[in-house]
Every structure is written in C-alpha cells, then in structure tokens.
Amino acid sequence: MNSPQPHQHQPRYPQHWPQHTGPAPGGPGLRQPAPRRKKRGGLVAGIVIAVIALAAAGVLGARYLAYVDEPGGGPGTDPIAQCRLSDDLKSQAHVSSFRLIQAPTDARKGMKQAHCAWEQTKGRDGRDPRRLSFLVYDFTTFSDKPDRNAEQARGNYASLTSYATGDQAKPLDVGDEAMIVIPSSPADLTEVNLLVRKGTVVWNIRYQGHDKGFFTDSAFPLADAEAVAVRTAEELTE
C-alpha cells in the first residue's frame, strides 16, 4: 500500500489583485501638470490704449468746439453820434455790436470824453475775434474861447503821440494830424492804434484781434488792421 502522501498546501492567490491608485511604494509621485495662467499683459495694454484714445478724443472734441464756436453776443445798443460807423466799414472790420463804455458828460463846459466799442455779434461776424474801440476827447466846449479849446486839443494829441517813435509809428494824411502806431504784441495777436485830431476833437482808435486755429491761434494780416483803423479815422473826422 502506498503510504499516504503528506498533504500539500497549494498557495492561494487572491482572486483580484489590488489596483494601485497612488505612487508606487518607495517611488516618486506622479504630479499632474498645473493649469496654465492666462496672459493678462495684452488685456492691460488694451485698456491703457482705450483710455488714451478716449482722452485724445475728448481733447480733440473740445478743440473742435472751440474752433467752430463764433464769439460775440447780442446786437448791442444804438451808437451815439460820436461813434457811428458805416455798415460797410463794420462789415470790413467784422464788428456789428455797439457798446457804450463811457458816455460823455452833459456838463456845459469842460472836456467831454466818450469811450465807444464795436464788438462782434454771435453768428454774424465770423469765428475770428475782432474788436474796434476808440476814445473821444472833445474840447469843443472846454471854455468860452475857441482858440484855447483848439490849443487844448493840440496839446492832448501831442501828449498821446509823445511815446510813439521809430518804425512802429507813421504819420497819416487824415484830419488835421494823425499817426498810426503798431504796439508790440504777442505772435497770436494783431493790434493797431491810430491817433487823429480834427479841430477840437481827438480820437484814440484801437483795432485788434486774431485768427483762430484748430490747435493754435495766429495774428491776421497787419495791412488789414491798418486799413480798418484808417477808414475808421476817415469816417469819424468827416
């Protein structure tokens, strides 16, 4: 008989091997790649450009409105006799609104002084600012002596012209005596002064203005200013 064989133990294995879900023992872990951050530089640059564009548009818009805006106010008041000018001259000077700055005194004797200004009417005289004004010194009733009154007027004229020398002052054949003076002024302004006397009355005429530009203003031709001032003197001394 065969002797019984010793019982042999068969190794038993689990029916299902465990699945590793983590790093292998003793080995380095497997890292998941980090999500990429979106680049924000382009967004910031776009915002900066938009802000600059809006600011530039605002500046250009303001400049455009200033450029097309026409200066001046209402039609003003009726001029007094010493300050009347022809419609043709007012059109040439681009002024149509009268303002009496100082009315002459109604005293029986003494020098009578008036200050008249022709300015612009909005929507009528253009967008380039202009102003024509003059002081009137009337010695006609200064005293009861006509010779003395004429002497006072001549002295007044001499006093007003005493500072005018050099190339900036030129005598004119208007009234009894006249002189045109070009004072020093900024590059963006044209100004002409004209002093004229006829008999016992003296006028100090000033015409000034500039041409508007989109970015900067500029002076207008000096010859145009002189023509307006001379014509004003001729009409006032007629």
Side-chain angles (χ1 to χ4, degrees):
M1 290 181 65
N2 295 330
S3 59
Q5 297 294 323
H7 181 74
Q8 295 180 352
H9 295 279
Q10 296 295 325
R12 295 184 180 181
Y13 299 101
Q15 294 182 354
H16 300 286
W17 290 96
Q19 296 181 357
H20 293 285
T21 58
L30 298 178
R31 296 181 179 178
Q32 297 294 327
R36 294 183 180 180
R37 294 182 178 179
K38 295 182 180 180
K39 295 183 178 180
R40 304 177 67 180
L43 177 61
V44 173
I47 293 174
V48 171
I49 292 173
V51 170
I52 293 174
L54 287 174
V59 171
L60 291 175
R63 292 300 307 171
Y64 175 76
L65 292 176
Y67 176 70
V68 299
D69 182 49
E70 296 188 356
T77 59
D78 292 332
I80 61 176
Q82 297 92 327
C83 303
R84 290 196 182 102
L85 300 174
S86 68
D87 291 339
D88 190 49
L89 173 54
K90 289 183 287 184
S91 176
Q92 179 182 350
H94 302 287
V95 293
S96 59
S97 177
F98 177 76
R99 183 163 66 96
L100 182 61
I101 300 174
Q102 179 183 350
T105 177
D106 57 359
R108 191 177 69 85
K109 290 186 179 181
M111 187 267 289
K112 296 181 179 180
Q113 179 176 323
H115 190 179
C116 307
W118 284 96
E119 300 174 341
Q120 294 182 294
T121 302
K122 191 175 184 65
R124 178 175 178 178
D125 296 312
R127 67 168 180 263
D128 296 321
R130 299 288 190 272
R131 188 174 190 269
L132 174 62
S133 63
F134 43 90
L135 289 163
V136 185
Y137 305 94
D138 190 347
F139 294 89
T140 305
T141 59
F142 182 79
S143 71
D144 293 330
K145 300 178 180 180
D147 291 344
R148 184 185 179 191
N149 298 344
E151 181 182 351
Q152 289 291 329
R154 286 192 294 269
N156 179 263
Y157 175 83
S159 176
L160 291 173
T161 58
S162 61
Y163 68 92
T165 58
D167 296 335
Q168 297 297 92
K170 299 180 293 184
L172 298 173
D173 187 18
V174 181
D176 293 330
E177 50 187 341
M179 178 179 292
I180 192 165
V181 182
I182 314 300
S184 299
S185 58
D188 60 350
L189 177 69
T190 299
E191 181 176 340
V192 168
N193 287 355
L194 194 152
L195 303 164
V196 58
R197 180 188 69 84
K198 185 174 182 180
T200 55
V201 184
V202 178
W203 290 266
N204 184 352
I205 301 165
R206 174 177 293 181
Y207 183 56
Q208 62 184 173
H210 63 268
D211 287 347
K212 291 201 302 184
F214 192 82
F215 290 105
T216 58
D217 298 333
S218 61
F220 67 95
L222 185 60
D224 294 348
E226 290 185 7
V228 168
V230 170
R231 189 171 176 185
T232 302
E234 291 172 343
E235 290 196 3
L236 292 173
T237 56
E238 286 180 350

